[in-house]
């Protein structure tokens, strides 16, 4: 089970990782993350980077290593990771690597409610998504091929994973789209009936009632 961490956003993880390699000041951290393409795998709110740095310092994960000024530039503080920060980084990485991610995604939420749309419209929207996925995956694969010739694979492993997951999603969407267009998806008749009549079929209502009674039984939460 995931721990409740004092600083829990993934930008903090990326900053701890950077500072485990060498001391840096915040602007340098931001530039390094951009250069390494970390914004492809971590949602980075650049405006909150300084706040994350402050929170990491507040909880003793990083500390100021010194300040300096170049020319007329504002004074800047260089930070380094502490022993406590290194322990937190390693523990966090072990957790993320060993425990499957079960966070809900917007796409899964949309699929759960997709029956609100008629089959033909959902098929059209899925076809649009598939076309975009295939195009993005082709571009990503070409880019990754170039980088693999220049860098060891370990430095590109997160990009490799991202491509594999999006290819898997494209294959899954392709299969679902085929089932909808061929009419072989389980429940297609009920789905069509709902949109043709505007009414919820009796069998669906009965399933809802059974579910409600199940939740009302003692011991259910």
């Amino acid at each position: 089970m995931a721990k409740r961490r004092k600083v829990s956003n993934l930008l903090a993880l990326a900053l701890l990782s950077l500072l485990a390699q060498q001391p840096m000041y915040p602007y340098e951290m931001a530039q390094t993350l951009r250069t390494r393409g970390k914004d492809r795998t971590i949602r980075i709110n650049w405006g909150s980077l300084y706040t994350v740095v402050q929170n990491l310092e507040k909880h003793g994960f990083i500390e100021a290593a010194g300040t300096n000024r170049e020319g007329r530039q504002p004074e800047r503080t260089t930070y380094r990771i502490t022993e406590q920060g290194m322990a937190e980084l390693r523990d966090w990485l072990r957790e993320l690597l060993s425990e499957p991610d079960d966070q809900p995604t917007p796409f899964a939420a949309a699929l759960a409610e997709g029956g609100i749309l008629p089959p033909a419209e959902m098929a059209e929207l899925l076809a649009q998504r598939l076309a975009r996925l295939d195009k993005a995956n082709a571009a990503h694969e070409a880019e990754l091929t170039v980088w693999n010739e220049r860098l060891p694979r370990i430095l590109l492993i997160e990009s490799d994973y991202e491509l594999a997951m999006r290819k898997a999603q494209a294959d899954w969407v392709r299969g679902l789209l085929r089932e909808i267009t061929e009419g072989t998806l389980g429940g297609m008749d009920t789905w069509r009936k709902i949109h043709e009549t505007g009414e919820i079929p009796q069998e669906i209502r009965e399933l809802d009632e059974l579910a409600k009674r199940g939740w009302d039984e003692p011991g259910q939460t």
Side-chain angles (χ1 to χ4, degrees):
M1 183 177 179
K3 294 182 179 180
R4 184 176 180 84
R5 297 189 180 276
K6 294 176 181 178
V7 187
S8 60
N9 65 71
L10 294 180
L11 176 55
L13 179 75
L15 296 183
L16 286 174
S17 180
L18 287 181
L19 295 180
Q21 298 165 49
Q22 66 181 66
M24 294 184 183
Y25 52 91
Y27 182 75
E28 185 180 8
M29 298 177 204
Q31 290 295 93
T32 303
L33 289 174
R34 283 194 181 98
T35 301
R36 295 183 181 180
K38 297 301 181 181
D39 50 348
R40 294 190 59 169
T41 52
I42 297 175
R43 290 186 177 180
I44 298 175
N45 183 343
W46 301 110
S48 68
L49 187 143
Y50 284 88
T51 301
V52 175
V53 169
Q54 290 171 359
N55 286 334
L56 289 172
E57 183 180 25
K58 173 184 174 182
H59 292 291
F61 296 140
I62 64 174
E63 63 185 8
T67 59
N68 60 66
R69 184 194 304 272
E70 291 185 5
R72 297 182 179 180
Q73 297 295 323
E75 188 176 75
R76 61 195 185 192
T77 301
T78 298
Y79 293 90
R80 64 189 171 205
I81 195 167
T82 62
E83 288 186 12
Q84 183 180 349
M86 183 63 76
E88 175 73 2
L89 173 60
R90 288 172 174 163
D91 184 63
W92 199 353
L93 284 171
R94 288 171 182 138
E95 175 191 304
L96 292 174
L97 287 169
S98 64
E99 297 184 13
D101 179 12
D102 58 358
Q103 293 298 314
T105 66
F107 182 45
L111 287 170
E113 309 302 335
I116 294 295
L117 302 173
E121 183 177 0
M122 187 167 178
E124 181 182 351
L125 294 170
L126 288 173
Q128 292 176 19
R129 183 185 190 90
L130 181 58
R132 289 170 179 148
L133 279 170
D134 284 341
K135 181 179 180 180
N137 288 344
H140 191 164
E141 189 166 24
E143 178 184 348
L144 197 56
T145 298
V146 172
W147 281 110
N148 272 320
E149 295 174 354
R150 304 176 183 176
L151 296 171
R153 186 161 177 254
I154 186 60
L155 297 181
L156 302 166
I157 201 72
E158 74 274 21
S159 189
D160 192 20
Y161 169 78
E162 180 188 25
L163 177 60
M165 292 302 99
R166 293 204 315 187
K167 279 186 171 182
Q169 183 186 146
D171 289 342
W172 187 87
V173 171
R174 206 181 320 276
L176 176 61
L177 182 58
R178 183 169 54 251
E179 289 185 80
I180 294 174
T181 55
E182 294 177 355
T184 59
L185 181 67
M188 281 293 298
D189 291 341
T190 300
W191 188 5
R192 291 194 187 99
K193 187 176 180 181
I194 291 173
H195 287 280
E196 289 169 357
T197 65
E199 298 179 357
I200 302 298
Q202 183 60 31
E203 60 266 30
I204 299 297
R205 295 181 184 278
E206 291 174 356
L207 287 173
D208 285 342
E209 286 302 318
L210 283 173
K212 289 176 184 176
R213 287 200 293 272
W215 283 111
D216 289 339
E217 290 178 1
Q220 297 290 330
T221 57

